[in-house]
Amino acid sequence: MAHSTLKQLADLLATGKTSSVELSQDYLGRITRQNPGLNAFITVDAERTLAEARAADAVRAAGQAGPLTGVPIAHKDIFCAEGWLTTCGSKMLHNFVSPYDAHVISQFKAAGMPTLGKTNMDEFAMGSSNETSFYGPVKNPWDTARVPGGSSGGSAACVAAGLAPAATGTDTGGSIRQPAALCGITGLKPTYGVVSRYGMIAFASSLDQAGPMAQTAEDCGLLLNVMAGFDPRDSTSLEREKEDYARDLAEPHDLIKPLAGLRIGLPKEFFGAGLTGDTAKAVQDAIAQFKSSALPRSKSACPTPGLSVAAYYVIAPAEASSNLSRFDGVRYGYRTHDYADLTDMYEKTRAEGFGAEVKRRILIGTYVLSHGYYDAYYIQAQKLRRLIAQDFAEAYKHCDVILGPTAPTTAFKLGEKADDPVQMYLSDIYTIAVNLAGLPGMSLPCGFDALGLPIGLQLIGDYFSEARMLNVAHQYQLATDWHLQLSPIMRMETEYKALDALLSVPEAGKKGTMV
Ligand code: GLN
């Protein structure tokens, strides 16, 4: 069952073929076998998971099950979850057990979905390779010498390895889409404000957005239905009527809303220098596939990717420097052991508790916000941000969805870019503008490079067009099988299961054949 989708697991539960306890045990078994190698989880607590699974089975027995009751899920360690160690990938929070649930967590609990564990991530979600985690890097299940992407690398890796059928992620500049692309899974970053940020540890508040990561677009739709919705505890949560994001994924498939009439925008800026050959080819092939069924379209102009990276690396650190000032050793988390006075305690706590990348961002952030440089950097970046949003608004007059690559390269080797922050920052060159504009974006598998590493196709929609994007992605997945390919680790787990079944056969045959 390592490769079962949420949809399939929900069907097995609904027809009584399995229970939530059985399912959860199955995933926990895989975590025990594979996590020591992958490092995808920071915290696993089988007792807690199984208690939640038993509760879900009781809800089902009482006839009160919802669509996903009993299906387990993993959560990025950026979400506060009551009673769970919640580290955000940092030494600063290595001992922080959350006293409350983030909105996203409480939504999944209310849906009856047991938590399989908290997934590894770049420290405070700053990174594109998961190498900035205090808990060590995550390995990519397609090639364990390579990074899974970041910052939601643990979430992407656990889904790609079959250690969880789905996971939550967060995306400030690409952290759902880029690891989804590098691990060959499907991920969705919703329109800013659709999912509440309450209890999600803040990196850059005007950009952060939570979203689902799973094997298919259909699963992402089901998960977004659980996550989305107004929450008065987040002042940027949008008060909108409840939407069914899976409404255009109906079965039978010939009833699905057709692609005919869909206008596809193809920004030339997304196909320029820096895009590697295999990725360019796979993305072009995917686009060709769309053209045959639905729509050719306009060459929309899009914000120059390089400019969005520049604006982002002023705005995101500025907001981070403010958000991270709360980690001072006084209220919670790490405190230095040896200090002379209060100032010394602050300084040592922050010097010892934060890693190098987080410190770099705090330094940049305080610099661009300082009196002498505010106008030169911060204000300029905000102006650029407005222009980027305007460029997208102009593009959406001529198209419904923009297609392009998610990341310029496939998964790179561990350590390859670790000492070159600018190269690392360029990993998000195609995703960052989407956050600056607050738009929804998705990544879905669209091919493999010569080394057999997955490639991601990015879909960018207009505000609140998640249902349509999911519909477009779902149709692509009905017509292709890239998303069905199994990573070597998942294949191994599938074979392990098969072997298990094989080994139990003699039991059944014993009676008649043994003399
Ligand atoms: N890689 C980008 C960064 O390091 C984006 C991270 C994210 O989306 N959380 O800021």
Side-chain angles (χ1 to χ4, degrees):
M1 267 190 279
H3 60 274
S4 304
T5 63
L6 283 186
K7 184 84 189 335
Q8 291 165 337
L9 296 176
D11 288 346
L12 290 177
L13 285 163
T15 51
K17 295 201 177 92
T18 190
S19 68
S20 182
V21 167
E22 237 171 60
L23 265 187
S24 303
Q25 275 168 336
D26 203 43
Y27 282 100
L28 289 167
R30 280 193 284 278
I31 292 172
T32 307
R33 287 190 293 279
Q34 300 297 346
N35 197 51
L38 291 175
N39 200 24
F41 284 89
I42 293 175
T43 308
V44 180
D45 182 342
E47 301 244 316
R48 206 171 260 279
T49 305
L50 292 173
E52 288 181 18
R54 278 192 291 275
D57 284 334
V59 167
R60 186 170 294 281
Q64 288 161 350
L68 295 173
T69 300
V71 184
I73 183 168
H75 294 299
K76 185 175 181 179
D77 208 21
I78 198 167
F79 293 102
C80 287
E82 192 183 338
W84 286 84
L85 183 67
T86 299
T87 71
C88 217
S90 182
K91 178 178 177 182
M92 194 54 107
L93 290 173
H94 76 289
N95 58 357
F96 176 66
V97 175
S98 176
Y100 74 108
D101 281 332
H103 180 77
V104 163
I105 300 288
S106 50
Q107 291 293 101
F108 281 112
K109 276 193 181 166
M113 298 179 70
T115 301
L116 279 170
K118 304 292 294 293
T119 61
N120 202 347
M121 54 180 284
D122 279 299
E123 185 177 6
F124 286 104
M126 299 174 189
S128 304
S129 66
N130 228 290
E131 292 169 297
T132 72
S133 170
F134 174 63
Y135 297 89
V138 176
K139 315 284 165 57
N140 190 317
W142 291 88
D143 177 350
T144 51
R146 290 173 188 271
V147 305
S151 63
S152 313
S155 289
C158 77
V159 173
L163 310 191
T168 50
T170 63
D171 193 313
T172 303
S175 280
I176 288 176
R177 290 161 288 159
Q178 186 256 13
L182 270 50
C183 287
I185 65 161
T186 307
L188 167 69
K189 175 238 172 256
T191 305
Y192 183 79
V194 162
V195 177
S196 166
R197 291 180 297 108
Y198 177 78
M200 187 176 114
I201 297 170
F203 164 10
S205 310
S206 75
L207 301 159
D208 298 342
Q209 187 63 196
M213 304 175 80
Q215 289 176 67
T216 65
E218 191 172 26
D219 283 358
C220 286
L222 297 173
L223 293 169
L224 189 58
N225 278 346
V226 177
M227 300 173 84
F230 175 62
D231 172 20
R233 297 170 300 183
D234 170 3
S235 61
T236 58
S237 170
L238 294 167
E239 218 166 337
R240 304 179 69 243
E241 220 164 281
K242 193 98 186 129
E243 236 186 274
D244 176 7
Y245 293 100
R247 65 180 182 270
D248 293 329
L249 315 176
E251 284 181 83
H253 293 140
D254 48 7
L255 291 184
I256 293 175
K257 185 172 174 173
L259 287 180
L262 180 81
R263 297 167 307 158
I264 297 171
L266 301 171
K268 61 179 181 325
E269 295 83 352
F270 281 20
F271 297 91
L275 190 63
T276 57
D278 289 346
T279 303
K281 171 148 190 343
V283 170
Q284 294 290 6
D285 287 352
I287 290 165
Q289 181 118 8
F290 275 100
K291 283 179 180 166
S292 61
S293 49
L295 266 245
R297 236 355 160 220
S298 64
K299 296 222 181 335
S300 63
C302 250
T304 306
L307 287 181
S308 55
V309 174
Y312 174 90
Y313 277 98
V314 171
I315 294 168
E319 294 185 21
S321 71
S322 164
N323 273 325
L324 269 57
S325 66
R326 59 171 65 89
F327 302 105
D328 56 7
V330 175
R331 286 159 288 193
Y332 39 73
Y334 179 74
R335 179 187 294 176
T336 187
H337 301 296
D338 194 20
Y339 50 92
D341 54 24
L342 185 62
T343 309
D344 193 38
M345 192 280 283
Y346 286 152
E347 285 176 3
K348 284 192 177 141
T349 294
R350 289 168 68 83
E352 293 161 16
F354 290 135
E357 183 60 28
V358 173
K359 286 178 190 159
R360 183 180 294 127
R361 307 276 177 121
I362 294 173
L363 285 174
I364 297 172
T366 43
Y367 180 83
V368 299
L369 289 176
S370 63
H371 183 68
Y373 296 100
Y374 185 83
D375 287 348
Y377 294 106
Y378 187 70
I379 296 289
Q380 289 302 317
Q382 291 292 12
K383 286 181 180 166
L384 215 47
R385 182 175 190 174
R386 165 53 58 116
L387 293 174
I388 287 166
Q390 279 172 3
D391 276 353
F392 274 118
E394 189 54 38
Y396 286 119
K397 286 183 187 156
H398 312 288
C399 67
D400 305 307
V401 65
I402 290 172
L403 293 186
T406 304
T409 66
T410 51
F412 43 93
K413 289 230 167 81
L414 285 155
E416 192 179 319
K417 298 187 184 178
D419 297 325
D420 189 344
V422 174
Q423 272 310 310
M424 190 70 89
Y425 296 170
L426 291 174
S427 302
D428 294 314
I429 192 159
Y430 303 120
T431 49
I432 273 178
V434 174
N435 300 73
L436 289 167
L439 292 165
M442 276 190 83
S443 180
L444 55 155
C446 72
F448 292 90
D449 70 4
L451 297 172
L453 299 166
I455 296 171
L457 173 72
Q458 185 175 205
L459 257 69
I460 305 171
D462 203 353
Y463 300 109
F464 309 117
S465 65
E466 284 85 351
R468 182 58 162 160
M469 285 167 63
L470 285 162
N471 161 266
V472 172
H474 181 55
Q475 301 208 47
Y476 179 73
Q477 293 188 332
L478 287 175
T480 59
D481 63 1
W482 304 116
H483 63 294
L484 300 177
Q485 304 307 312
L486 309 185
S487 69
I489 303 276
M490 199 194 274
R491 217 177 304 136
M492 197 193 301
E493 279 301 319
T494 314
E495 279 157 17
Y496 178 90
K497 236 8 214 195
L499 195 65
D500 217 26
L502 208 65
L503 289 174
S504 59
V505 168
E507 282 297 316
K510 226 173 188 173
K511 286 180 226 149
T513 49
M514 294 292 285
V515 182

